[in-house]
Amino acid sequence: MVNHRGSSHNHMRIASTTKFISRKQSPRTIALYIFLLFAFSIFIFVFNAGNIVEDHPAPVISIQSHPQTKFLQTADDELWDAPSRHGLRPCVKPTSRYKAAQGSDRYLTVKSNGGLNQMRTGISDMVAVAHIMNATLVIPQLDRRSFWQDSSTFSDIFDELHFITTLQGDVRIVRELPKELELVPQARKHFTSWSSMGYYKEMMQLWNDHQVIHVAKSDSRLANNDLPLDIQRLRCRALYHALRFSPPIESLGKKLVDRLRMRSGKYIALHLRYEKDMLAFTGCTSGLTDAESEELRIMRENTKHWKVKDINSTEQRIGGFCPLTPKEVGIFLQAIGYPPSTLIYVASGEIYGGDARLSELMSFFPNLVFKEKLATKEELNEFAKHASQSAALDYIVSLESDVFVPSYSGNMARAVEGHRRFLGHRKTITPDRKGLVRLFDELESGQLRETSSFSDLVQQMHKNRQGAPRKRKGPSPGIKGKARFRTEESFYENPYPECICSSKAV
């Protein structure tokens, strides 16, 4: 039996409810319900997503992914921008007291010694010496007996005509000794290193008995400091203006720079001085195998003109006298702040240990480039067996780089740094090898547990080692006699103040 009373009551309740719903069911209300339901769903999703993120952290976005952000752009500026030159500019013009070159029947012949940059700076010294001694300079003979056994002549490496004409107002230069003087007795002289004007004035007495003076070595023939301003500027004119590389070298060098720019826009030139001869000479064997260390020791023993034979490698390294290893260079550049994608041109000879040792650097910076990868075999053929010509290509690319980093303070490092200072204090980061060794060892031993702390220390250590203007350093305190000259900063490493002056200076 059906309960009509209950059915009637239920019907009334349903009808009432239906009436209520229908009364509230306007389009605006429905939209509100949908919005609230959507908002509640979003809340539940975000809440659960938050729990997922805690369990599985999102990948870190690399710096290079967002170079456009303001913070990272500032960091990028710090990495690549040259230091302020403070209104300084090159100044190599003679003063009003300078006396132009005079024709002379006295001749100075020169045998340059060393690698490319040792010869370049030595030739610049000899230009100044010829001027002081009022002599005609015969185009120098280049070193063919050095470690590299390079048979290149002067005109193979340098633009000979440009050299002669650029310096015609300073000193008379000829390609060869006159035939009538080839067999006359010559004064063969090994001029004293780091000599003053007075020394060469005294040497002029040799002209009383000889018409030709032959100089056995050209490197470091003049003092770094305390020379007349006009002599210092003449050295700069010779090195930075007159000693231009030969047209084939200049042409290919510029092509290499252009190709690097097309790849990345900006690049670091790394002078990685990790060749066999340098390690043998310095006695640095850190990270090498016993067999490699012994090979270097034998090489040092058998090289007669290397005077020091017994070297403590550990003491050398602690003292900062060793080139940074490829691995150490990688750690250093990473600590400075350069991202792994940075394009690095490696200027060097054959790296000791080959690809195995280079891989230690590539693990930090895989975007390494050598001239052999930038140029074709055909382009490099004429330079392949001539180490000095090949080094000249590296010099051009290093000079034009956005940042130059030498792993060791050798002749090329000093020459490139000085040239970059002369051209407007282009950025050059010079590693503090002694300080870095201490930090490397602390990092290796666990004393520096935070890599961020290591990076902060490295950056602070090199804040004032990036090529900003400063006057050349004098001798180390407490050292007397001729030994003090060895401790002076090289004139060609920093020709300021003589060849770099303020815009207001005459």
Side-chain angles (χ1 to χ4, degrees), residues 356-374:
R357 199 132 288 133
L358 268 177
S359 66
E360 298 174 343
L361 172 58
M362 292 188 73
S363 65
F364 293 95
F365 296 94
N367 205 5
L368 295 185
V369 181
F370 296 80
K371 57 180 167 290
E372 289 78 10
K373 292 183 180 180
L374 280 177

Side-chain angles (χ1 to χ4, degrees), residues 308-418:
V308 181
K309 303 298 182 183
D310 296 323
I311 300 176
N312 185 310
S313 179
T314 302
E315 291 179 359
Q316 282 285 92
R317 182 173 178 272
I318 293 174
F321 303 118
C322 290
L324 296 180
T325 67
K327 180 181 179 181
E328 289 171 341
V329 171
I331 297 172
F332 169 67
L333 291 176
Q334 183 186 62
I336 289 292
Y338 290 98
S341 61
T342 302
L343 180 63
I344 299 178
Y345 176 87
V346 181
S348 74
E350 185 177 352
I351 300 299
Y352 191 58
D355 291 341
R357 199 132 288 133
L358 268 177
S359 66
E360 298 174 343
L361 172 58
M362 292 188 73
S363 65
F364 293 95
F365 296 94
N367 205 5
L368 295 185
V369 181
F370 296 80
K371 57 180 167 290
E372 289 78 10
K373 292 183 180 180
L374 280 177
T376 65
K377 288 184 178 180
E378 290 73 21
E379 288 174 323
L380 290 175
N381 270 344
E382 61 180 299
F383 311 111
K385 296 182 180 180
H386 301 283
S388 292
Q389 295 180 51
S390 182
L393 294 172
D394 283 341
Y395 187 95
I396 292 171
V397 178
S398 298
L399 184 65
E400 297 299 327
S401 65
D402 298 278
V403 180
F404 176 63
V405 180
S407 67
Y408 186 72
S409 57
N411 290 313
M412 177 166 170
R414 290 193 292 269
V416 172
E417 179 178 353

Side-chain angles (χ1 to χ4, degrees), residues 204-394:
M204 289 182 70
Q205 64 184 346
L206 292 170
W207 298 130
N208 296 332
D209 302 311
H210 301 88
Q211 200 173 350
V212 180
I213 297 175
H214 178 72
V215 184
K217 285 189 175 183
S218 63
D219 66 319
S220 303
R221 296 307 104 183
L222 278 168
N224 292 305
N225 304 307
D226 302 322
L227 290 174
L229 178 60
D230 277 323
I231 295 301
Q232 298 288 57
R233 289 188 175 181
L234 173 54
R235 296 167 87 182
C236 289
R237 289 198 296 278
L239 186 61
Y240 303 132
H241 290 180
L243 272 177
R244 187 168 67 188
F245 292 120
S246 65
I249 293 174
E250 286 283 340
S251 176
L252 182 54
K254 289 175 181 177
K255 286 180 183 178
L256 298 183
V257 172
D258 290 341
R259 290 167 191 175
L260 285 164
R261 296 274 181 232
M262 289 176 65
R263 285 195 180 197
S264 182
K266 295 179 180 178
Y267 70 94
I268 292 175
L270 168 65
H271 185 225
L272 189 58
R273 197 70 171 95
Y274 207 74
E275 299 96 341
K276 183 177 180 180
D277 66 306
M278 174 52 64
L279 295 176
F281 176 74
T282 57
C284 296
T285 59
S286 176
L288 302 182
T289 65
D290 291 341
E292 288 172 329
S293 299
E294 179 63 13
E295 182 181 28
L296 296 180
R297 186 195 66 78
I298 293 172
M299 181 179 181
R300 187 166 63 252
E301 281 288 335
N302 294 337
T303 307
K304 293 181 180 179
H305 61 277
W306 291 352
K307 296 179 182 179
V308 181
K309 303 298 182 183
D310 296 323
I311 300 176
N312 185 310
S313 179
T314 302
E315 291 179 359
Q316 282 285 92
R317 182 173 178 272
I318 293 174
F321 303 118
C322 290
L324 296 180
T325 67
K327 180 181 179 181
E328 289 171 341
V329 171
I331 297 172
F332 169 67
L333 291 176
Q334 183 186 62
I336 289 292
Y338 290 98
S341 61
T342 302
L343 180 63
I344 299 178
Y345 176 87
V346 181
S348 74
E350 185 177 352
I351 300 299
Y352 191 58
D355 291 341
R357 199 132 288 133
L358 268 177
S359 66
E360 298 174 343
L361 172 58
M362 292 188 73
S363 65
F364 293 95
F365 296 94
N367 205 5
L368 295 185
V369 181
F370 296 80
K371 57 180 167 290
E372 289 78 10
K373 292 183 180 180
L374 280 177
T376 65
K377 288 184 178 180
E378 290 73 21
E379 288 174 323
L380 290 175
N381 270 344
E382 61 180 299
F383 311 111
K385 296 182 180 180
H386 301 283
S388 292
Q389 295 180 51
S390 182
L393 294 172
D394 283 341

